[in-house]
Amino acid sequence: DAGVIQSPRHEVTEMGQEVTLRCKPISGHDYLFWYRQTMMRGLELLIYFNNNVPIDDSGMPEDRFSAKMPNASFSTLKIQPSEPRDSAVYFCASNRRGASYEQYFGPGTRLTVT
Amino acid sequence: RKEVEQDPGPFNVPEGATVAFNCTYSNSASQSFFWYRQDCRKEPKLLMSVYSSGNEDGRFTAQLNRASQYISLLIRDSKLSDSATYLCVANQAGTALIFGKGTTLSVSS
């Protein structure tokens, strides 16, 4: 089975530009999680969905960040406008059991905002 | 205070050594615990769950001490391929996983 798929794998953009990160969860998994990882703060949960509905978005840093899950096989994380401090690796993860259980991570998107 | 704390290391050990990592968690209501492994520039992958009674998987042993709120991971007979960052994870029932920043292990020949 295919794992979690993320695109793009690398993104370099200029400050002020819009960035859209994409994720396809493992088929049959109805929980989807977006994380951000930096050296300073480690791995932080931004938002998670269950059955395409956002359950907890308390980790979303500010209004510049938004996430959607229009169907069971696709989610996006959008940053508009982007800032240099948004530079990080963004991971998507999924599972079928819930937020308290082991999760399967995608390869991540390495975002650099200059 | 960070909810899950780990010594960042790095731990530098020779092949064949035994190495132990500890991790503390602040939420006494935490009920699920895991160790994840993350290779350089890769995604985290589940290494093992941590059960109250302790559990072993080959060269790896995980222990949970609820009274002291710490979790440990013991790696015996270290291999070069064990070099990675090990992330400690705890949660509270019904809420999302909280990851520590990780402990870096470097095994040398």
Side-chain angles (χ1 to χ4, degrees):
Chain A
D1 283 341
V4 175
I5 298 172
Q6 292 187 246
S7 65
R9 296 292 304 276
H10 301 273
E11 177 82 26
V12 180
T13 191
E14 291 184 349
M15 183 173 63
Q17 296 298 305
E18 178 179 296
V19 175
T20 299
L21 312 181
R22 298 173 177 79
C23 175
K24 176 179 169 58
I26 294 172
S27 178
H29 284 191
D30 52 8
Y31 285 84
L32 183 140
F33 308 84
W34 281 102
Y35 289 89
R36 177 173 67 178
Q37 187 175 39
T38 61
M39 289 291 290
M40 286 292 294
R41 301 177 66 88
L43 194 63
E44 301 175 287
L45 178 68
L46 300 177
I47 185 172
Y48 78 91
F49 295 83
N50 176 219
N51 290 324
N52 314 335
V53 176
I55 303 301
D56 183 357
D57 65 354
S58 60
M60 295 286 265
E62 49 199 271
D63 292 345
R64 297 185 299 107
F65 286 68
S66 63
K68 294 182 180 179
M69 192 164 185
N71 57 62
S73 59
F74 183 66
S75 176
T76 60
L77 178 68
K78 186 175 293 186
I79 308 172
Q80 166 64 19
S82 58
E83 297 182 2
R85 60 191 168 122
D86 301 330
S87 297
V89 181
Y90 291 81
F91 288 104
C92 177
S94 71
N95 71 12
R96 68 177 75 207
R97 297 186 67 191
S100 304
Y101 298 91
E102 59 267 32
Q103 297 164 19
Y104 301 86
F105 284 77
T109 295
R110 186 171 296 274
L111 173 65
T112 302
V113 183
T114 61
Chain B
R1 179 183 171 190
K2 180 79 173 166
E3 295 197 48
V4 177
E5 294 197 43
Q6 300 180 246
D7 180 346
F11 284 65
N12 298 304
V13 302
E15 274 186 294
T18 295
V19 61
F21 307 138
N22 289 328
C23 158
T24 58
Y25 60 94
S26 61
N27 190 335
S28 59
S30 293
Q31 296 186 5
S32 300
F33 306 92
F34 308 93
W35 282 101
Y36 272 71
R37 170 188 169 133
Q38 185 172 23
D39 293 314
C40 186
R41 303 180 78 85
K42 298 286 189 181
E43 71 271 25
K45 292 184 178 179
L46 180 67
L47 177 67
M48 58 197 303
S49 301
V50 185
Y51 303 119
S52 296
S53 56
N55 48 301
E56 188 174 305
D57 183 2
R59 299 181 293 108
F60 298 82
T61 300
Q63 297 278 357
L64 169 63
N65 184 318
R66 285 190 183 274
S68 301
Q69 294 182 208
Y70 81 77
I71 309 155
S72 64
L73 177 68
L74 182 77
I75 305 175
R76 292 180 299 276
D77 188 23
S78 299
K79 311 292 185 189
L80 293 175
S81 57
D82 294 334
S83 297
T85 297
Y86 292 83
L87 305 175
C88 175
V89 189
N91 84 313
Q92 183 176 358
T95 67
L97 302 182
I98 300 169
F99 287 77
K101 288 187 179 180
T103 297
T104 299
L105 171 66
S106 178
V107 182
S108 57
S109 58

